[in-house]
């Protein structure tokens, strides 16, 4: 069994569970237990507070975990980052009252900065030779300047609306974070092998989410152009249609090029273009 720690509830919970499910792993966590065993994969899931995950993985209570990179860096545990998962994206930033003039980090000299991330913010200030006072608080950091507890804050931001409603402005981004898969550095060979299996699946799911399966009809005299446009996984599949002079073309397109490719396909007289999500993609 491989033991994985995921957040019990909160911003990473749903995406973490969805990822495991998309990997074909059945988790039955109906009654919100602290522990669940997957039905069809040698995986035991521990539901924990995110702050505790780096420690548990470091101690080997869990072998691997899904947690925000911000938490991992703050906790300074010697664990391995295995995979960047692409969800739970946010940034750790310094914010000051809107009315304060700010031209650069030097304007933070001597200020009192409230944060739940004392380690990361102290490192940032030291690196920039800023002498400021870090005031650690565990929640509702954004109200600290308003109630006179601090001059500035260092907190997580995603849309920026929390800062805005509290009359603050973001002035420096310290860290760009996302959920990561972390692992104990001394995994036994057996656990490592299960982790590799899981990683293969995660990779297949992630790649699939960035790609679409497309299917279209095209006149044969345009096939050369269309094949040049659609690399597919090896090359596109071409099947003749019952109607003379036409073929069905099937391929995989990356989301980054997607609309550009569709426009060109139309120019190359493709018709009846169908676009479908891909569940797994294994190279
Ligand atoms: O109970 P537990 O300790 O497990 O959870 P928690 O309350 O400590 O963490 P949680 O669930 O809030 O966040 C878990 C992880 O999600 C964080 O460690 C980040 O890696 C990631 N994440 C992504 C965020 C945000 N986006 C985010 N916006 N974590 C927190 N926020 C908060 C932020 O602190 C601020 O209060 O949302 C507010 C700002 O949001 P915007 O959209 O108004 O800018
Ligand atoms: Zn937490």
């Amino acid at each position: 069994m491989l033991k994985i720690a995921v957040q019990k509830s909160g911003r990473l919970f749903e995406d973490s569970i969805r990822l495991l499910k998309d990997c074909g792993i059945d988790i039955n966590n109906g009654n919100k237990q602290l522990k669940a065993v997957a039905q069809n994969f040698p995986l035991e899931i521990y539901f924990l507070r995110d702050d505790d995950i780096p420690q548990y993985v470091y101690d080997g209570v869990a072998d691997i975990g899904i947690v925000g990179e911000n938490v991992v860096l703050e906790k300074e545990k010697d664990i391995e980052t295995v995979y960047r998962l692409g969800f739970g994206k946010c940034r750790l930033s310094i914010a000051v009252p809107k009315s304060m003039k700010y031209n650069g980090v030097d304007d933070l000299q001597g200020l009192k900065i409230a944060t739940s991330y004392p380690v990361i913010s102290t490192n940032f200030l030291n690196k920039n030779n800023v002498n400021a006072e870090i005031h650690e608080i565990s929640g509702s950091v954004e109200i600290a300047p308003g109630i006179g507890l601090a001059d500035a804050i260092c907190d997580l931001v995603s849309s920026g609306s929390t800062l805005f409603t509290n009359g603050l402005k973001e002035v420096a981004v310290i860290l760009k974070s996302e959920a990561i898969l972390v692992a104990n550095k001394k995994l036994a060979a057996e656990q490592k092998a299960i982790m590799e299996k899981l990683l293969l699946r995660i990779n297949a799911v992630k790649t699939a989410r960035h790609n679409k399966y497309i299917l279209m009809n095209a006149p044969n005299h345009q096939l050369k152009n269309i094949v040049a446009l659609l690399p597919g996984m090896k090359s596109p599949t071409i099947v003749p249609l019952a109607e003379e002079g036409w073929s069905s073309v099937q391929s995989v397109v990356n989301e980054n090029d997607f609309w550009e490719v569709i426009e060109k396909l139309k120019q190359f007289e493709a018709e009846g273009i169908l676009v479908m999500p891909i569940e797994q993609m294994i190279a």
Side-chain angles (χ1 to χ4, degrees):
M1 282 266 181
L2 182 74
K3 291 171 284 179
I4 185 170
V6 302
Q7 197 187 18
K8 179 170 56 173
S9 63
R11 288 166 196 266
L12 302 183
F13 171 77
E14 270 176 31
D15 283 328
S16 305
I17 295 302
R18 187 164 69 101
L19 177 64
L20 295 177
K21 291 197 168 152
D22 287 352
C23 287
I25 298 170
D26 281 343
I27 303 156
N28 191 352
N29 183 34
N31 332 320
K32 284 257 160 210
Q33 309 116 312
L34 292 178
K35 222 166 84 171
V37 177
Q39 318 288 304
N40 55 357
F41 194 82
L43 191 70
E44 194 170 5
I45 302 103
Y46 287 64
F47 299 95
L48 301 169
R49 286 205 53 195
D50 66 347
D51 314 72
D52 298 331
I53 292 176
Q55 177 80 50
Y56 277 100
V57 171
Y58 175 73
D59 288 342
V61 174
D63 300 309
I64 63 174
I66 296 178
V67 63
E69 188 181 21
N70 49 299
V71 175
V72 174
L73 292 174
E74 181 64 26
K75 300 295 177 188
E76 294 188 300
K77 295 283 175 266
D78 190 19
I79 52 180
E80 196 172 345
T81 298
V82 181
Y83 201 96
R84 305 187 69 81
L85 293 165
F87 58 82
K89 286 194 176 170
C90 58
R91 46 199 194 274
L92 184 66
S93 294
I94 306 262
V96 301
K98 251 176 236 159
S99 55
M100 184 183 136
K101 88 166 179 27
Y102 181 92
N103 296 313
V105 282
D106 260 346
D107 289 334
L108 300 172
Q109 295 286 5
L111 298 190
K112 193 169 175 184
I113 303 175
T115 185
S116 312
Y117 292 87
V119 172
I120 302 177
S121 33
T122 301
N123 287 342
F124 171 80
L125 294 173
N126 289 346
K127 210 176 71 197
N128 288 282
N129 300 313
V130 174
N131 205 343
E133 184 191 338
I134 292 292
H135 185 75
E136 183 179 355
I137 49 179
S138 60
S140 305
V141 174
E142 64 279 356
I143 64 168
I147 59 173
L149 192 67
D151 307 303
I153 66 167
C154 172
D155 198 12
L156 296 176
V157 183
S158 48
S159 68
S161 68
T162 302
L163 294 184
F164 184 80
T165 51
N166 285 282
L168 301 169
K169 60 180 177 188
E170 186 178 4
V171 292
V173 176
I174 299 187
L175 169 77
K176 285 193 172 151
S177 180
E178 66 187 84
I180 57 178
L181 185 82
V182 290
N184 182 286
K185 283 195 164 170
K186 293 178 227 136
L187 283 188
E190 199 180 326
Q191 267 70 37
K192 210 164 196 166
I194 305 172
M195 182 177 81
E196 292 302 330
K197 276 191 188 175
L198 180 64
L199 281 173
L200 178 88
R201 294 191 187 192
I202 291 178
N203 211 16
V205 169
K206 289 284 165 196
T207 316
R209 283 187 196 160
H210 292 297
N211 287 278
K212 303 255 183 249
Y213 187 75
I214 67 170
L215 196 100
M216 75 212 74
N217 296 328
N220 288 346
H221 69 269
Q222 290 284 12
L223 286 179
K224 240 196 183 132
N225 288 329
I226 291 176
V227 169
L229 185 64
L230 297 173
M233 285 181 80
K234 210 173 197 85
S235 70
T237 306
I238 298 177
V239 189
L241 290 190
E243 185 176 328
E244 191 80 19
W246 282 78
S247 297
S248 165
V249 181
Q250 302 159 29
S251 190
V252 171
V253 178
N254 190 277
E255 63 179 2
N256 295 327
D257 325 316
F258 182 73
W259 286 108
E260 212 174 308
V261 168
I262 296 287
E263 280 158 25
K264 290 205 175 119
L265 287 173
K266 299 284 290 177
Q267 286 167 20
F268 296 147
E269 302 170 67
E271 292 179 2
I273 304 173
L274 300 182
V275 180
M276 284 166 285
I278 301 172
E279 248 177 51
Q280 312 273 350
M281 208 166 137
I282 298 144

